[in-house]
Amino acid sequence: MQILDSAWLIPVIPLVSAGVLALAGRRLKEPIAGWVATVAVGASFVLSFGQLIALVGRPPEARTFVRTLYEWIPAGGFRVPVSYRIDPLSVVMILLITGVGALIHLYAIGYMKGDRDFTRFFFYLNLFVGSMLVLVLADNYLLLFVGWELVGACSYLLIGFWYQSSPNATAAKKAFVVNRVGDFGFVVGLMLIFSVVGSLDYGAVFSIAPSVMTAAMATAVCLCLLVGATGKSAQIPLYVWLPDAMAGPTPVSALIHAATMVTAGVYMIARSFVLWDLSPTAQGITVAIGIITALVAAVIAIGQFNIKKVLAYSTVSQLGYMIAGVGVGGAGYAAGIFHLLAHGFFKALLFLCAGSVIVGMHHEEDMRKMGGLRTKMPITFITYTIGFLALDGIFPFAGYFSKDGILAALFEHGTWWSQVAWALGLVGAFLTATYMARQWFMVFFGKPRWDEDVHPHESPWLMTVPLIVLAIPSTLFGTAGLPGFNQLHRWLEPVFGVAGGEPELLNATTFALLLTSLVVAGSGLVVGWAIWYRATADQRATLAGRLGGVVPFVRNKLYVDEAYAATFERPGYRLTAVLGDEMDQRGIDWLVMGTGAAFKRAGAWFSKGQNGLIRAYAAVMGAGALVFVVYVLARGVSR
Amino acid sequence: MSEAIPGGFPLLSILIFLPVFGALAVAFVPKGRGDVARALGTAISASTLGLAVWLLIHFENGVGAMQFVEAHEWIPSLGVGYRLGVDGISVFLVALTTLMFPLALVASGHVTKRVKHYTIFMLLLEATVLGVFLANDLFLFFVFWEAMLVPMYFLIGYWGSAGRVRAAVKFFIFTAAGSAFLLAAIIGAGVIAGGDFSYAGIFGHDYTLWAQRLLFWAFTISFLVKVPTFPLHTWLPDAHTEAPTAGSVILAALLLKMGTYGLIRFSLPLFPRAAVEAVPVLLTLSVIGIIYAALVAIRQKDFKRLVAYTSVSHLGFITLGIFAITTTGLTGGVAQMINHGLTTGALFFLVGMLYERRHTRLIDDYGGIRRQVPILGGVFLFVVFASAGLPGLNGFIGEMLTLFGTIVVHRWWAITAAIGVILAAIYLLWMYQRLFLGPLDKPENEKMRDMTATDLVVLVPLMILMLVLGIYPKPMLERIEPSVHEVVVAVEAGTAGTDQAYVEPEQTSPSNPVAVVEAAEHAEAEQHAKEAAAESGGHAESGGHGDSAGSGSGHTEGGR
């Protein structure tokens, strides 16, 4: 199996390319640096495709391939190898990462044109792709954590790419620190796994954990890992970094903050499905977090005016669906991954379209200054529309089937809480259709509201080609998971096994569910159309007036950032002030030095002198040494 | 008088005395030729690095005992000898010492007053630090330990910045007070053991529990001051702030490690019952130190103070790993000593470079300078990430090992300590942001010079090591492990059958059944792969590899 043996190259190629770009620096001129980076990711894509073919050629039960490259950390009983796992789950992930990644690299060559740090940008971008590939290919939790942390670091570097603006730097730090809060939970989860199982290898953990983990321990482990997932996948309560992360260049938002990195938490839960299956409590909490996040983020999205912020909250919301999907278990694991892949395509598409609009509008991001762009940017408009319909869940676009898979898994789980979650999920779907319709109409329809000196134009081919390519899976990918003919579900079955449940059949219930979703999404669209296209500005103002305080509440993102600042940030800073300014130098130092001074006074009393501290010490030391020498000599003589 | 030297060649003695003779040679450099003195000193310390590399190459892997042993009688009636040796615990500290001194001398170009004396003190300091790590005898250890104070005192007190004298005195008082405990303890231990001061004699003596308690705490307090462990850390920020760059580097990278080294070498194996009893106290102090120092660091306005507090926090992880008394934790502790030496050493070099350029330590005097000094900004960020424990770089390995080595025996301490992971990101990235990011709004910073070739000569080797030790730490870890495992075994043996009886849990012990089975499987898989590759002559497409596709089933058998 030569092709499977070469899988280690998939992350290594972009990492090596990143190293080359880092060392070359500005000596490698634009656009060559961009092409080097793009080709590297493209090569990884080709290799990833080779892995897919190799796996297809094997019988389903032999589609897991594990290879150890070398022993990484041997320390007592804690032994961690660098090893990778090619299986149906990791293969679809690497295809998404390298495929979408390569397209976004290509797009970025156009988008970043003329930036003084062009090479540095592609260095970071390649480093990110390599790290993300490490994350999904790892065969043990510690190596997964390596990728997990490195993508966080890349995210930090890229959000703060234009570091000379202070808000960007602050947003970058916020992203990293909030992620670290999640990582704290994740590390504790790993430590607990190790303390119970004695290993972090997937194979060992999944085979041993069911027999040695108590239900309480399984719950604790899953909840700790879930904390990690809420950080990386931007869920309540740690989602606050993602909207701010839009400070980064738009290709970054598309690649990292929509299609790949933020799905790491979903992937991790799906990967750890054996553990989640051990704890119904953790499953319930995971679903609750996911679906509440889906709802809250959708509400906030309605009130945003920044074109990227709307998409950011939309991403948070869609990640909530995925988390709920993998949280409910059973058929939900495959459904969550299905939505992850579909969302990867259409959300990357939407962000790239937004980037195209932003470039066309001379770096204007406020939707209130757009409008009527459909004639000026036809390719962007058409591809955006496809992404928009896919996200809304309109038949037959990708998001229709993938989101419905999650809702169906929730409904068919059969517990009261999962059906409540299903109902809330429908409300979320309605809101999704509404806020996306609002954005679509605000940007592309109505009267132009541009500033006078802005002349919108369609973007160059480097940017439009990726849009067109991404529009294809955004339209067609749904066929991979048609109810009753769910190929993706079947493909993932060797991973999730019987736990994955029978692929749903096309019966009356599923048909009713499909229809319900469609009706809900359709009515959301209609509402969006009615308010942001049909209604006049005056009517909208009247509506806002009737809603009263709700409107500013939503526009200000429910004041969550302010609440966090008041409860954690400011008291925390005050604590550091108290500790740093008072406690350490006046309290502890005084105490320790005071004890010393007391000894000195005692010493001074003994020596009846007015010595300085040093001299007193020297005297004591000298006396001690003298005693010692005398003792030594005495012993020596007596022998 | 002296017995034959096992191994024949007194490599360790040469390591220690080369810098001493070097210092003598430097003393003969004519007045006013500071450049010659520094060049000579650099050459001498670089040649110790060469010797240390030779030592590393010939250091036998998989052996826990002392190697390159040299033993000469000194005061035979007391069992005091001139004994040197190196094992997995000390060999990398020796290498780190011989690496940091030449780099520190290279980076001392800004020192202009009394360069000759400065060089002499640096070389003497190197000799004493090496002596501490190589001494295999309590009395000899103490001699080097005390002798180290003198050159360090002068380096801070003469070549430091404005508040140097006060800081030097404080440094001296704290560590000398600690030494008083150490001396008393060594004498006490020897006297109780019937006048036998040799390491073997004290190790072999069966102390009563109360004697163990007294001696353990006397040894341990003197080491904790040096580490420094909360609440004995307040000398460190002052000393760091006022010391010259090289002094700060050596202090952080090496002198603090003398404390943690002493804990492993003496406190644990010599007085195991008292040690096991004291674990909760020491773990608590470690965890408080990790979090408390991190919180204090966030607040600092002076970057050298900030880095000093990060040291206290990081050293907390090391003492945590040590007092977990597990093979994993101790391996992590020793590895983290090296890692912290590299990263914090590098950080002090870097803030020293900033100081040289702008002559201010206040973070607020900088801001947005990355645009002006992009290379310095990139290197600084790399080191900051290493210090924050980013995986792929060295800090991650040690930090994780100390945590994973602790969780198995002391769950809540390990979990609380992990909070330090969050805080490290806050204080380091915030410092970085305030120094380098945002708009360049201070005109004084517009003329800053980027890194020079000399600066890169200092930093690049450290960065390479950070990367290599992050990606492939195995050569280091597998040399540390046998020696620290002996410490664990000594504690187990010394407490067996007593109220303090301690047995290492199997998860962290080298005999962890899951790990052993997996290692065998991996080895088997490797073997399969090699055989298959050999058989098929390069175009392997046989089903044979399917066996090595270790899906769940293979692990199941092994795990149960």
Side-chain angles (χ1 to χ4, degrees):
Chain A
M1 290 283 156
Q2 252 190 341
I3 190 78
L4 289 171
D5 280 327
S6 66
W8 60 275
L9 282 168
I10 295 172
V12 167
I13 293 172
L15 289 176
V16 167
S17 163
V20 170
L21 294 179
L23 292 177
R26 293 209 186 114
R27 271 161 291 183
L28 207 58
K29 291 274 181 285
E30 178 189 347
I32 299 164
W35 283 107
V36 169
T38 309
V39 168
V41 179
S44 286
F45 175 71
V46 172
L47 260 175
S48 304
F49 202 76
Q51 310 301 317
L52 177 72
I53 291 168
L55 283 198
V56 169
R58 291 175 154 218
E61 64 277 6
R63 282 184 188 155
T64 298
F65 180 86
V66 176
R67 161 75 69 241
T68 300
L69 296 176
Y70 64 93
E71 191 169 34
W72 180 33
I73 305 181
F78 186 80
R79 310 188 92 80
V80 182
V82 170
S83 50
Y84 64 84
R85 168 177 290 234
I86 300 284
D87 70 359
L89 177 57
S90 60
V91 160
V92 294
M93 292 299 294
I94 57 177
L95 281 170
L96 174 76
I97 296 160
T98 54
V100 174
L103 288 171
I104 293 176
H105 273 67
L106 189 67
Y107 176 95
I109 298 175
Y111 191 87
M112 298 303 288
K113 191 161 180 263
D115 195 285
R116 70 192 286 271
D117 284 319
F118 188 85
T119 311
R120 187 164 62 89
F121 180 80
F122 282 95
F123 155 45
Y124 291 164
L125 219 53
N126 259 346
L127 185 64
F128 167 77
V129 171
S131 311
M132 189 70 203
L133 290 166
V134 168
L135 193 162
V136 296
L137 284 172
D139 185 43
N140 60 65
Y141 278 106
L142 201 69
L143 198 56
L144 178 147
F145 186 57
V146 171
W148 185 273
E149 280 278 280
L150 285 177
V151 292
C154 293
S155 164
Y156 166 83
L157 294 169
L158 284 162
I159 296 169
F161 182 74
W162 290 312
Y163 56 84
Q164 281 172 291
S165 134
S166 290
N168 289 6
T170 304
K173 190 189 65 178
K174 179 177 177 181
F176 198 77
V177 170
V178 172
N179 266 294
R180 272 271 166 132
V181 174
D183 295 346
F184 162 70
F186 192 76
V187 167
V188 171
L190 299 199
M191 294 198 293
L192 290 177
I193 291 175
F194 174 72
S195 71
V196 177
V197 175
S199 175
L200 291 175
D201 272 23
Y202 290 155
V205 172
F206 301 152
S207 61
I208 299 173
S211 55
V212 298
M213 249 186 212
T214 62
M217 178 53 84
T219 305
V221 167
C222 289
L223 291 184
C224 285
L225 297 182
L226 179 63
V227 171
T230 59
K232 198 111 295 179
S233 290
Q235 299 294 292
I236 289 174
L238 299 180
Y239 71 92
V240 289
W241 66 272
L242 186 61
D244 289 16
M246 297 302 128
T250 305
V252 172
S253 310
L255 179 61
I256 301 185
H257 304 120
T260 57
M261 182 186 87
V262 289
T263 63
V266 181
Y267 165 80
M268 186 269 294
I269 294 178
R271 180 55 88 194
S272 317
F273 76 99
V274 177
L275 302 177
W276 256 263
D277 279 349
L278 290 176
S279 170
T281 317
Q283 290 190 322
I285 294 172
T286 309
V287 168
I289 297 242
I291 216 71
I292 293 172
T293 306
L295 212 53
V296 168
V299 169
I300 298 176
I302 297 180
Q304 301 309 305
F305 289 109
N306 181 307
I307 185 169
K308 284 174 73 180
K309 286 256 162 100
V310 174
L311 293 177
Y313 279 104
S314 160
T315 305
V316 173
S317 171
Q318 295 303 308
L319 289 164
Y321 281 105
M322 297 174 214
I323 294 278
V326 292
V328 75
Y333 293 125
I337 296 297
F338 184 23
H339 196 48
L340 185 163
L341 298 170
H343 177 261
F345 296 126
F346 63 68
K347 188 53 72 63
L349 172 61
L350 285 170
F351 264 113
L352 294 187
C353 287
S356 175
V357 169
I358 291 167
V359 169
M361 293 293 295
H362 305 225
H363 290 272
E364 177 62 70
E365 298 188 4
D366 191 333
M367 297 194 296
R368 284 170 292 195
K369 295 193 173 170
M370 295 177 184
L373 284 177
R374 69 182 183 283
T375 50
K376 296 285 179 186
M377 310 178 73
I379 302 175
T380 305
F381 170 65
I382 292 167
T383 50
Y384 185 96
T385 306
I386 290 171
F388 150 64
L389 293 173
L391 173 58
D392 273 2
I394 300 297
F395 180 84
F397 295 93
Y400 174 61
F401 295 105
S402 63
K403 194 192 296 177
D404 188 69
I406 290 172
L407 292 175
L410 286 171
F411 186 82
E412 286 165 5
H413 188 65
T415 47
W416 67 267
W417 50 265
S418 72
Q419 297 196 335
V420 170
W422 168 77
L424 292 175
L426 279 183
V427 178
F430 172 80
L431 294 171
T432 307
T434 310
Y435 68 69
M436 281 312 291
R438 168 179 179 264
Q439 185 176 50
W440 193 57
F441 287 118
M442 279 183 86
V443 174
F444 293 105
F445 291 83
K447 275 190 213 118
R449 301 180 295 276
W450 320 322
D451 287 340
E452 276 170 21
D453 53 343
V454 171
H455 306 287
H457 56 83
E458 185 58 281
S459 299
W461 70 270
L462 273 171
M463 292 168 68
T464 50
V465 165
L467 299 184
I468 295 165
V469 176
L470 278 171
I472 296 167
S474 300
T475 312
L476 299 176
F477 187 67
T479 54
L482 293 177
F485 311 93
N486 200 325
Q487 288 305 311
L488 187 76
H489 207 128
R490 222 161 275 160
W491 171 251
L492 291 172
E493 210 174 56
V495 179
F496 301 124
V498 187
E502 291 296 307
E504 62 201 72
L505 297 171
L506 192 60
N507 55 29
T509 319
T510 44
F511 196 72
L513 288 174
L514 280 169
L515 212 59
T516 317
S517 301
L518 191 56
V519 170
V520 166
S523 35
L525 267 186
V526 171
V527 170
W529 168 81
I531 299 178
W532 284 285
Y533 185 72
R534 188 72 201 283
T536 62
D538 289 344
Q539 285 170 317
R540 277 201 292 275
T542 322
L543 181 68
R546 283 216 194 115
L547 288 169
V550 174
V551 174
F553 191 59
V554 170
R555 281 195 186 150
N556 286 298
K557 302 169 273 182
L558 315 186
Y559 296 102
V560 174
D561 278 324
E562 288 75 4
Y564 280 6
T567 45
F568 299 112
E569 208 175 307
R570 281 198 291 272
Y573 192 69
R574 238 172 279 140
L575 174 69
T576 65
V578 169
L579 291 180
D581 298 350
E582 306 295 328
M583 174 102 166
D584 203 62
Q585 286 310 305
R586 304 221 181 102
I588 293 181
D589 193 41
W590 179 84
L591 207 68
V592 177
M593 289 296 273
T595 317
F599 275 111
K600 173 201 152 194
R601 246 169 266 132
W605 185 78
F606 276 117
S607 69
K608 302 243 191 274
Q610 299 290 314
N611 292 336
L613 220 43
I614 289 286
R615 278 198 284 164
Y617 165 76
V620 174
M621 273 299 291
L626 194 67
V627 170
F628 185 65
V629 169
V630 169
Y631 177 80
V632 165
L633 289 177
R635 290 285 313 200
V637 170
S638 68
R639 282 277 161 100
Chain B
M1 178 161 163
S2 69
E3 54 193 76
I5 303 156
F9 184 67
L11 178 66
L12 304 187
S13 290
I14 295 175
L15 257 178
I16 296 174
F17 287 101
L18 184 62
V20 176
F21 289 118
L24 269 177
V26 172
F28 286 106
V29 171
K31 231 179 178 168
R33 294 307 306 271
D35 50 338
V36 177
R38 197 162 67 86
L40 185 59
T42 311
I44 291 159
S45 60
S47 48
T48 62
L49 175 61
L51 288 177
V53 169
W54 195 88
L55 174 71
L56 272 180
I57 291 169
H58 291 85
F59 185 86
E60 199 176 336
N61 193 1
V63 174
M66 286 287 171
Q67 304 183 29
F68 296 89
V69 174
E70 293 172 34
H72 304 274
E73 287 185 353
W74 184 7
I75 314 172
S77 59
L78 293 175
V80 173
Y82 173 83
R83 299 190 191 89
L84 303 177
V86 64
D87 67 356
I89 300 168
S90 51
V91 66
F92 294 100
L93 288 167
V94 169
L96 180 69
T97 307
T98 58
L99 173 67
M100 296 313 277
F101 271 95
L103 294 184
L105 279 166
V106 169
S108 297
H110 57 96
V111 174
T112 47
K113 63 177 183 180
R114 300 210 176 205
V115 181
K116 190 167 104 178
H117 295 83
Y118 175 87
T119 310
I120 291 173
F121 279 125
M122 285 289 280
L123 289 172
L124 290 177
L125 188 60
E126 177 174 12
T128 54
V129 173
L130 286 170
V132 165
F133 291 137
L134 291 173
N136 227 338
D137 177 276
L138 280 169
F139 191 74
L140 189 62
F141 174 83
F142 183 75
V143 169
F144 285 125
W145 175 278
E146 279 297 288
M148 177 279 301
L149 281 181
V150 178
M152 194 64 208
Y153 173 83
F154 283 108
L155 281 173
I156 298 176
Y158 190 82
W159 285 274
S161 47
R164 60 183 181 269
V165 175
R166 191 181 161 273
V169 169
K170 199 169 174 181
F171 162 77
F172 197 82
I173 292 171
F174 267 81
T175 45
S179 307
F181 280 99
L182 185 60
L183 180 61
I186 291 175
I187 295 174
V191 170
I192 297 175
D196 187 353
F197 285 83
S198 70
Y199 188 87
I202 291 175
F203 185 73
H205 187 77
D206 192 13
Y207 293 93
T208 65
L209 183 57
W210 269 104
Q212 286 213 9
R213 282 176 184 154
L214 278 173
L215 295 171
F216 172 83
W217 280 106
F219 268 96
T220 303
I221 285 177
S222 70
F223 295 142
L224 292 184
V225 169
K226 189 78 92 190
V227 170
T229 295
F230 175 90
L232 305 171
H233 63 275
T234 52
W235 64 271
L236 186 71
D238 289 348
H240 265 314
T241 313
E242 304 302 340
T245 297
S248 288
V249 169
I250 300 300
L251 186 60
L254 304 170
L255 300 199
L256 307 187
K257 306 310 175 320
M258 290 165 49
T260 46
Y261 172 77
L263 292 173
I264 301 178
R265 179 71 80 213
F266 301 110
S267 294
L268 282 184
L270 294 184
F271 315 108
R273 290 175 68 192
V276 168
E277 207 177 54
V279 158
V281 177
L282 292 164
L283 289 183
T284 306
L285 290 181
S286 304
V287 171
I288 293 177
I290 290 172
I291 293 170
Y292 171 85
L295 288 173
V296 175
I298 293 174
R299 174 70 180 176
Q300 297 309 309
K301 297 180 172 71
D302 174 322
F303 54 45
K304 279 185 110 177
R305 282 192 92 79
L306 198 158
V307 181
Y309 279 106
T310 72
S311 271
V312 178
S313 184
H314 281 131
L315 271 284
F317 279 103
I318 300 179
T319 49
L320 184 83
I322 292 173
F323 286 107
I325 324 190
T326 57
T327 309
T328 302
L330 277 162
T331 308
V334 176
Q336 191 64 352
M337 288 189 216
I338 307 300
N339 294 332
H340 177 264
L342 293 171
T343 49
T344 310
L347 266 183
F348 273 116
F349 276 129
L350 286 167
V351 294
M353 287 167 195
L354 288 178
Y355 181 78
E356 256 174 69
R357 284 161 171 74
R358 285 279 289 104
H359 295 283
T360 168
R361 294 192 304 262
L362 289 180
I363 295 173
D364 287 346
D365 288 342
Y366 297 84
I369 58 170
R370 179 157 180 177
R371 191 188 170 88
Q372 188 61 31
V373 288
I375 301 175
L376 185 59
V379 170
F380 204 104
L381 188 60
F382 182 94
V383 176
V384 156
F385 273 140
S387 182
L390 191 77
L393 301 175
N394 59 345
F396 175 74
I397 309 286
E399 214 168 85
M400 286 300 123
L401 285 180
T402 55
L403 288 175
F404 279 94
T406 309
I407 185 80
V408 183
V409 272
H410 303 285
R411 180 170 293 164
W412 289 106
W413 277 279
I415 291 174
T416 318
I419 295 174
V421 172
I422 305 175
L423 298 175
I426 298 178
Y427 60 68
L428 283 167
L429 291 183
W430 199 38
M431 170 177 77
Y432 186 76
Q433 181 181 347
R434 286 183 290 167
L435 288 172
F436 285 93
L437 308 181
L440 180 70
D441 49 8
K442 299 193 181 54
E444 308 85 39
N445 293 330
E446 277 165 13
K447 293 260 157 61
M448 267 180 89
R449 186 173 89 253
D450 208 344
M451 285 180 101
T452 62
T454 318
D455 295 339
L456 283 171
V457 165
V458 174
L459 261 303
V460 167
L462 296 176
M463 289 165 68
I464 291 173
L465 281 171
M466 288 176 211
L467 192 62
V468 170
L469 291 180
I471 292 173
Y472 192 52
K474 185 183 174 186
M476 176 169 82
L477 297 177
E478 67 186 3
R479 283 168 177 78
I480 294 172
E481 190 207 73
S483 295
V484 296
H485 186 59
E486 285 203 351
V487 173
V488 176
V489 170
V491 172
E492 286 179 336
T495 55
T498 68
D499 293 344
Q500 290 80 27
Y502 172 79
V503 179
E504 184 184 12
E506 67 179 19
Q507 285 99 317
T508 58
S509 144
S511 55
N512 176 358
V514 182
V516 168
V517 168
E518 275 174 16
E521 269 173 23
H522 289 312
E524 202 178 322
E526 293 286 288
Q527 196 55 37
H528 270 289
K530 276 181 195 141
E531 279 165 16
E535 278 168 25
S536 54
H539 49 88
E541 189 57 42
S542 67
H545 267 60
D547 304 335
S548 61
S551 56
S553 64
H555 292 292
T556 316
E557 291 161 18
R560 298 228 164 103

